């Protein structure tokens, strides 16, 4: 019988913790891209989501104040690591969250493990965070490259898109997304004809798109995100790629990017998110509250950050203090029941497992209200969307 094991450090402290809050407050850092290619994908809106979670929690935990700080890591792992180190060493930050950009998330999670501080990643996608580079005090919320591959990749292969060519962002996230989607498409009977890598934040996709077009692949997989995906889709339209019969797969595309691109250009795209504001009356109520606060509707990164903050605060309350190992143990133990995940659970490798949704972008005439952009085509159960922890490569998990 398969058994999932946490590290001895977490198990040893899973019992009652000292009933205290260090430094007389709980301080959470939201570290992400606020000025570059992923500024709308997460950015200042994730900070607003974190503040909203604190307000909804009541503003205090165990009668101690909660503070949220934020900084722009500019998509650079060295800058992110310097900020994280300063936060830990001199500014009494207890946990860091969001961490858009996989190279950044991997670096900060590793640094935080050394500093004995919790990270909850909601903005980065690589499965390495809960795979070979997992941490007993590191957690991955919202989505990852495997869930995107199962959702968007699987749907398109089943719809006849059985040959692929990838335009891939040239860093850890892009490699992981291409690898996961390639594996899943191949498993479903598809073939991969090739791939080309592009720099982060490139503005000219012409040479990459021409290579993809020349491949003859039925599907061009955009293994990128944010403004890179928007620009690739716009330029593909200029080349007439979709008009000539090839399909674009926006492998990481969220409500924020659809809004930036517009329904006219985005209509018909298939994508995967783990939250959609207009899916139920309850998600719509949350979305409208978020809109009143920020001027935009939330995507899965924003709402995932809200969920991560709420779960962290609940874990502190359950642990009776903010001691790292005790809080980490409670994060593993407690179910995730909130507006983001109605049936979430945290696996031994730190992966939060919840349902994801296969979405199709509406035609302009189908949209009934502002930000009403998606038709929900399918619900993918979390246990199907995410890797079995025993197969993740995480050394905290054994068979």
């Amino acid at each position: 019988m398969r058994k999932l094991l946490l590290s001895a450090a977490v198990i040893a402290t899973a019992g009652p913790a000292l009933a205290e809050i260090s430094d007389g407050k709980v301080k959470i850092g939201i570290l992400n891209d606020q000025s570059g290619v992923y500024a709308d994908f997460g950015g200042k809106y994730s900070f607003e989501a974190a503040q909203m979670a604190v307000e909804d929690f009541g503003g205090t935990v165990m009668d101690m104040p909660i503070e949220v700080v934020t900084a722009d890591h500019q998509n650079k792992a060295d800058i992110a690591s310097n900020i994280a180190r300063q936060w830990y060493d001199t500014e009494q930050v207890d946990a860091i969250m969001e961490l858009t950009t996989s190279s950044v998330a991997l670096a900060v999670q590793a640094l935080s493990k050394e500093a004995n501080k919790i990270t909850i990643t909601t903005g980065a996608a690589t499965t390495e965070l809960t795979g070979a580079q997992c941490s007993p005090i590191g957690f991955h919320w919202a989505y990852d490259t495997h869930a995107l591959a199962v959702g968007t990749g699987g749907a398109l292969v089943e719809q006849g898109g059985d040959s692929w060519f990838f335009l891939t962002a040239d860093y850890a996230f892009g490699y992981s997304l291409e690898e996961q989607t390639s594996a899943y498409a191949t498993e479903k009977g598809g073939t991969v004809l090739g791939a080309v890598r592009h720099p982060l934040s490139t503005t000219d996709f012409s040479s990459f798109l021409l290579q993809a077009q020349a491949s003859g692949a039925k599907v061009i997989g955009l293994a990128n995100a944010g403004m890179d995906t928007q620009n690739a889709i716009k330029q593909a339209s200029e080349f007439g790629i979709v008009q000539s019969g090839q399909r674009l797969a926006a492998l990481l595309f969220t409500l924020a990017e659809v809004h930036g691109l517009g329904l006219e250009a985005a209509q018909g795209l298939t994508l995967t998110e783990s939250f959609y504001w207009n899916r139920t009356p309850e998600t719509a109520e949350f979305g409208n509250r978020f809109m009143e606060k920020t001027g935009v509707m939330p995507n899965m990164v924003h709402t995932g950050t809200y969920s991560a903050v709420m779960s962290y605060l609940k874990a502190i309350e359950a642990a009776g203090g903010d001691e790292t190992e005790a809080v980490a143990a409670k994060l593993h133990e407690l179910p995730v029941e909130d507006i983001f995940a109605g049936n979430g659970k945290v696996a031994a490798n730190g992966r939060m497992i919840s349902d994801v949704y296969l979405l199709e972008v509406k035609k302009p005439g189908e949209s009934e209200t502002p930000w009403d952009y998606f038709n929900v085509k399918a619900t993918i159960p979390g246990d199907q969307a995410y890797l079995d922890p025993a197969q993740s490569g995480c050394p905290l998990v054994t068979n």
Side-chain angles (χ1 to χ4, degrees):
M1 179 178 176
R2 190 159 56 201
K3 187 177 181 181
L4 304 183
L5 300 176
L6 292 179
S7 72
V10 173
I11 292 173
T13 56
L18 292 175
E20 63 178 22
I21 300 294
S22 60
D23 306 309
K25 65 176 180 285
V26 170
K27 195 169 184 179
I28 299 167
I30 303 299
L31 184 57
N32 60 12
D33 174 18
Q34 299 177 14
S35 57
V37 67
Y38 301 136
D40 291 337
F41 177 77
K44 65 181 181 181
Y45 304 116
S46 291
F47 175 57
E48 297 281 4
Q51 291 183 306
M52 191 170 167
V54 171
E55 293 166 7
D56 287 353
F57 195 80
T60 64
V61 57
M62 296 178 62
D63 297 322
M64 295 294 177
I66 306 162
E67 182 180 353
V68 183
V69 296
T70 190
D72 182 357
H73 61 46
Q74 301 173 49
N75 294 311
K76 296 178 181 177
D78 57 342
I79 291 176
S81 296
N82 287 337
I83 293 169
R85 191 174 290 109
Q86 178 181 331
W87 276 356
Y88 292 151
D89 292 348
T90 66
E91 298 184 28
Q92 293 80 50
V93 168
D94 299 295
I96 296 178
M97 303 184 194
E98 222 269 38
L99 295 170
T100 307
T101 312
S102 291
S103 54
V104 164
L106 290 166
V108 174
Q109 179 170 281
L111 183 153
S112 300
K113 181 180 177 182
E114 294 175 5
N116 197 34
K117 300 285 188 178
I118 286 172
T119 57
I120 306 181
T121 299
T122 59
T126 179
T127 53
E128 282 294 293
L129 287 160
T130 52
Q133 299 188 51
C134 67
S135 164
I137 54 176
F139 300 86
H140 199 180
W141 242 247
Y143 75 106
D144 65 20
T145 52
H146 189 270
L148 300 175
V150 170
T152 308
L156 289 175
V157 172
E158 289 173 1
Q159 293 170 15
D162 56 5
S163 60
W164 287 67
F165 186 97
F166 290 91
L167 265 67
T168 303
D170 193 12
Y171 74 104
F173 151 68
Y175 312 151
S176 181
L177 187 51
E178 178 190 326
E179 178 185 2
Q180 296 281 347
T181 308
S182 295
Y184 199 75
T186 302
E187 180 184 319
K188 288 283 187 178
T191 58
V192 177
L193 302 183
V196 62
R197 291 175 175 173
H198 68 80
L200 181 67
S201 303
T202 191
T203 57
D204 184 3
F205 283 88
S206 57
S207 64
F208 310 121
L209 287 166
L210 287 172
Q211 291 179 62
Q213 190 174 37
S215 74
K218 293 180 182 177
V219 180
I220 299 172
L222 303 177
N224 49 23
M227 286 298 297
D228 280 346
T229 307
Q230 289 187 52
N231 287 333
I233 292 171
K234 288 177 183 176
Q235 291 173 38
S237 178
E238 294 168 5
F239 281 107
I241 287 176
V242 174
Q243 295 90 326
S244 66
Q246 289 175 295
R247 298 187 67 174
L248 297 179
L251 295 170
L252 177 49
F253 209 52
T254 75
L255 187 75
E257 290 74 53
V258 171
H259 183 72
L261 191 59
L263 287 184
E264 189 64 41
Q267 61 182 305
L269 283 173
T270 299
L271 57 101
T272 302
E273 284 209 64
S274 46
F275 177 85
Y276 175 43
W277 76 271
N278 208 17
R279 189 177 61 85
T280 70
E282 292 76 19
T283 56
E285 189 274 336
F286 177 84
N288 286 320
R289 283 205 297 130
F290 193 84
M291 168 67 84
E292 290 175 6
K293 184 178 179 65
T294 65
V296 303
M297 283 293 182
N299 66 8
M300 65 180 174
V301 176
H302 309 140
T303 314
T305 302
Y306 174 94
S307 174
V309 172
M310 289 290 284
S311 294
Y312 176 65
L313 297 174
K314 289 176 184 177
I316 289 174
E317 196 170 59
D322 65 354
E323 193 273 330
T324 295
E325 286 84 0
V327 174
K330 289 300 181 183
L331 280 166
H332 279 281
E333 174 187 327
L334 295 173
V336 181
E337 296 281 350
D338 55 30
I339 196 63
F340 179 79
N343 58 349
K345 59 185 178 182
V346 177
N349 61 349
R351 173 70 254 170
M352 198 281 280
I353 296 172
S354 62
D355 295 345
V356 301
Y357 306 100
L358 183 67
L359 307 168
E360 183 181 74
V361 180
K362 292 182 174 182
K363 297 176 181 178
E366 295 176 329
S367 179
E368 297 179 355
T369 62
W371 296 85
D372 172 36
Y373 293 159
F374 298 145
N375 289 313
V376 179
K377 306 301 288 185
T379 298
I380 305 169
D383 288 334
Q384 295 178 24
Y386 294 103
L387 276 169
D388 184 328
Q391 299 175 348
S392 67
C394 173
L396 303 176
V397 182
T398 62
N399 292 325

